[in-house]
Amino acid sequence: EPTAVLWLVSAVSLAYGGTYAFTAAIQGFGAVVATGLGICRKFVSVCFSFLLFPKPFRFQQAIGVAVFFTGLTVGWVQDSARQWKQKREGHRIDDVQDVLEGQPLVQLEPPKRESSQTGIHPLSPKLSLSEGHG
């Protein structure tokens, strides 16, 4: 059925895009920040579901929202205190500050080839024609 194929292609494309974005976030900002982004994305998805599909908002859900924002606030306060302490002591802030200033955490470089004429992948085991068998 064409509709099923369309849904399948859409689901696979969105899953690929999400996985690629999450991997890029890990590579660019680190696992902790990427995980925090994932948690915030889920929170926003739940909020949108309440807006788009009205349902009763219960006391337990209000406690969950309060715990979520309390966790964000505590994390922000701890991070700010740590940065203030590092600035006061004359240390580098941390990798997050480097990212905010546009400096990447990881420098990715392609593997260097020994010779452009060999045609052998640079990560493959080295072969030698001079080694004879027998």
Side-chain angles (χ1 to χ4, degrees), residues 7-25:
W7 280 106
L8 178 64
V9 170
S10 299
V12 169
S13 298
L14 288 171
Y16 175 79
T19 303
Y20 183 83
F22 188 71
T23 304

Side-chain angles (χ1 to χ4, degrees), residues 51-133:
L51 291 173
L52 294 174
F53 309 106
K55 49 184 125 326
F57 191 73
R58 300 198 169 121
F59 180 70
Q60 293 90 348
Q61 293 159 329
I63 290 175
V65 169
V67 167
F68 176 80
F69 282 110
T70 301
L72 283 179
T73 304
V74 167
W76 177 74
V77 167
Q78 287 178 340
D79 191 47
S80 296
R82 182 178 49 80
Q83 286 183 5
W84 180 80
K85 181 180 176 184
Q86 287 176 346
K87 280 183 185 179
R88 190 185 72 210
E89 294 173 356
H91 297 287
R92 282 180 51 108
I93 304 297
D94 61 4
D95 291 335
V96 174
Q97 186 67 32
D98 289 343
V99 170
L100 293 175
E101 293 173 357
Q103 300 171 4
L105 290 176
V106 179
Q107 295 290 336
L108 297 177
E109 296 179 11
K112 294 181 177 143
R113 297 181 68 130
E114 290 182 17
S115 170
S116 61
Q117 299 172 352
T118 63
I120 297 174
H121 190 275
L123 299 178
S124 66
K126 294 187 171 135
L127 302 174
S128 173
L129 299 176
S130 63
E131 295 176 10
H133 296 286

Side-chain angles (χ1 to χ4, degrees), residues 24-34 37 95-96 99-100 105:
I26 290 172
Q27 199 171 32
F29 301 105
V32 175
V33 173
L37 286 173
D95 291 335
V96 174
V99 170
L100 293 175
L105 290 176

Side-chain angles (χ1 to χ4, degrees), residues 40-51 55 61:
C40 289
R41 181 197 57 80
K42 292 171 189 170
F43 179 77
V44 169
S45 294
V46 170
C47 289
F48 275 127
S49 78
F50 272 89
L51 291 173
K55 49 184 125 326
Q61 293 159 329

